[in-house]
Amino acid sequence: MLKCRNCGAPYAGGIICEKCGTKYTDRELRENAAEEAKRKNSEMRSRNTAHRNNTGSSGKNISTLVVVTVVIISVVVVLSIATAVLIPVYIGYNAKNQVDVMQKEAMDRQSSIIEDFYDNASDMEDIYDDISDRIAEQEEKIRGVDKIEYMKEHGVYKSGTYECGTDIPEGEYIVVSDGEGYEDFYMGVYTQSDCSEDSRLYADFYAGNVYVRLSEGQFIDFSNATLYDMELNDITVAQRKYGAMYKVGKDIEPGVYRIVPTTEDYGCEYTIYSSLDSIIPVVKENNYFDFSDSEPVTVELSEGEYIRLRFAGLEKE
């Protein structure tokens, strides 16, 4: 007979000990039920054997009742065991399925969020690139405007192409070489912004410096040199070995000058301009002579004239 494993009290029914309250395990209850069933079955068989001749049909009814009772008890025990085992399994199975479903839904949402993020990121990257390009373009325009305005204000222009009347005012300018040497910078005046040969008024390579007068609508293009506005800057032209251009009355005094070669490697050349006010400079006199010429070359220069020298200098008579 089942006894309480804690206090030893005999089993009195139920699932807990009536004496100490200890809960019986399913195994203890099953074993007790099986033992009780065997005991009752044994008692019934003993009773049937002892009273078989006297009980008659009544004995048969009792035997049937015992069998039914045993079957019922067995079914109850089996159901108890099945309930104790299958219900947790069923609950666990459903819980696992719910977890799997929740995990799948979370992963689907995550995948959708990631896809939306990359789609939006791609769109944002395109928008950012477009905005960056626009900002860079505007900044370049601003720098260009600021640069032109700064050069206009100071009358100093770096190498480039400028339109008279827009980028640069009308007037007289001097272009001064950024280096030292023979034909070390280029300057040309054009009628079109592309500075093509068809639109060229005049152009050449210069040493030292060159004076130029610009009218509205003309374009000046020069490199390796700096252009100065004569009204805003006082530039003094010094004697140079490879040549220079002088303005009479500013750089040199009017008078008679002797042309002096500065090198034995090249012949000497000079050009006198009476004016720069027309479309192209007006040439008054041009001459080329060799270093070995015995007769000295002299020129008379008047106020407002210009003289350009190549491989030569000036000595006043």
Side-chain angles (χ1 to χ4, degrees):
M1 182 176 181
L2 177 64
K3 293 182 178 181
C4 177
R5 64 181 178 279
N6 185 37
C7 64
Y11 177 71
I15 60 174
I16 61 174
C17 176
E18 292 183 351
K19 184 176 181 180
C20 68
T22 299
K23 183 179 180 180
Y24 294 107
T25 65
D26 291 342
R27 181 177 179 181
E28 289 174 336
L29 294 175
R30 290 195 301 270
E31 290 178 351
N32 182 67
E35 184 179 346
E36 184 68 20
K38 290 180 180 180
R39 186 180 63 79
K40 291 182 179 181
N41 189 27
S42 177
E43 289 178 356
M44 291 298 294
R45 284 199 300 270
S46 297
R47 289 177 183 175
N48 289 336
T49 301
H51 301 285
R52 184 174 299 166
N53 294 327
N54 297 325
T55 58
S57 58
S58 177
K60 292 181 181 180
N61 292 335
I62 293 174
S63 296
T64 301
L65 180 61
V66 170
V67 171
V68 171
T69 301
V70 171
V71 171
I72 291 173
I73 293 174
S74 298
V75 170
V76 170
V77 171
V78 171
L79 290 176
S80 299
I81 294 173
T83 300
V85 174
L86 294 179
I87 287 179
V89 171
Y90 176 76
I91 294 173
Y93 177 77
N94 283 343
K96 183 178 182 304
N97 283 344
Q98 291 179 356
V99 171
D100 291 342
V101 170
M102 293 174 65
Q103 287 179 342
K104 185 176 183 305
E105 291 177 351
M107 292 181 66
D108 290 342
R109 286 196 301 271
Q110 182 178 359
S111 299
S112 177
I113 292 172
I114 292 174
E115 290 178 0
D116 292 342
F117 172 79
Y118 281 113
D119 290 341
N120 293 332
S122 178
D123 294 339
M124 290 301 296
E125 184 176 359
D126 293 339
I127 294 173
Y128 175 79
D129 291 340
D130 181 61
I131 292 175
S132 298
D133 292 341
R134 293 185 181 182
I135 291 175
E137 182 179 351
Q138 292 300 320
E139 288 179 347
E140 184 65 27
K141 289 181 179 179
I142 291 171
R143 283 194 297 268
V145 171
D146 291 344
K147 181 179 179 181
I148 292 295
E149 293 302 323
Y150 178 86
M151 290 189 292
K152 279 184 178 180
E153 180 181 352
H154 294 82
V156 180
Y157 298 80
K158 294 300 183 181
S159 297
T161 302
Y162 302 92
E163 180 181 2
C164 183
T166 301
D167 304 323
I168 185 171
E170 287 187 314
E172 186 173 304
Y173 295 85
I174 182 172
V175 186
V176 180
S177 172
D178 290 336
E180 177 72 31
Y182 167 58
E183 296 185 345
D184 55 3
F185 76 92
Y186 172 84
M187 190 278 293
V189 179
Y190 301 84
T191 59
Q192 301 293 330
S193 60
D194 60 0
C195 298
S196 63
E197 184 176 354
D198 294 337
S199 68
R200 183 174 60 199
L201 295 176
Y202 61 95
D204 202 351
F205 286 91
Y206 298 86
N209 68 287
V210 62
Y211 283 93
V212 59
R213 177 168 289 277
L214 298 174
S215 301
E216 185 173 354
Q218 292 179 337
F219 294 83
I220 182 171
D221 177 60
F222 60 95
S223 58
N224 300 321
T226 302
L227 182 145
Y228 297 91
D229 188 333
M230 297 298 295
E231 293 185 0
L232 298 177
N233 298 276
D234 184 16
I235 305 298
T236 300
V237 180
Q239 293 269 6
R240 296 175 57 135
K241 176 180 179 181
Y242 295 106
M245 186 173 180
Y246 303 95
K247 182 176 183 179
V248 182
K250 176 184 177 298
D251 302 315
I252 58 175
E253 297 178 355
V256 178
Y257 289 84
R258 183 170 64 252
I259 307 297
V260 181
T262 56
T263 177
E264 298 180 1
D265 298 329
Y266 303 96
C268 301
E269 181 181 6
Y270 70 90
T271 304
I272 301 174
Y273 302 95
S274 60
S275 173
L276 302 179
D277 291 340
S278 60
I279 295 177
I280 61 175
V282 178
V283 177
K284 175 183 176 182
E285 182 181 341
N286 176 258
N287 191 15
Y288 176 88
F289 62 94
D290 192 79
F291 177 80
S292 61
D293 290 348
S294 57
E295 294 294 329
V297 177
T298 60
V299 294
E300 185 175 357
L301 300 174
S302 302
E303 180 88 19
E305 292 182 335
Y306 302 81
I307 182 170
R308 176 188 174 192
L309 301 171
R310 284 177 177 268
F311 305 110
L314 293 173
E315 288 185 359
K316 192 172 183 180
E317 289 286 317

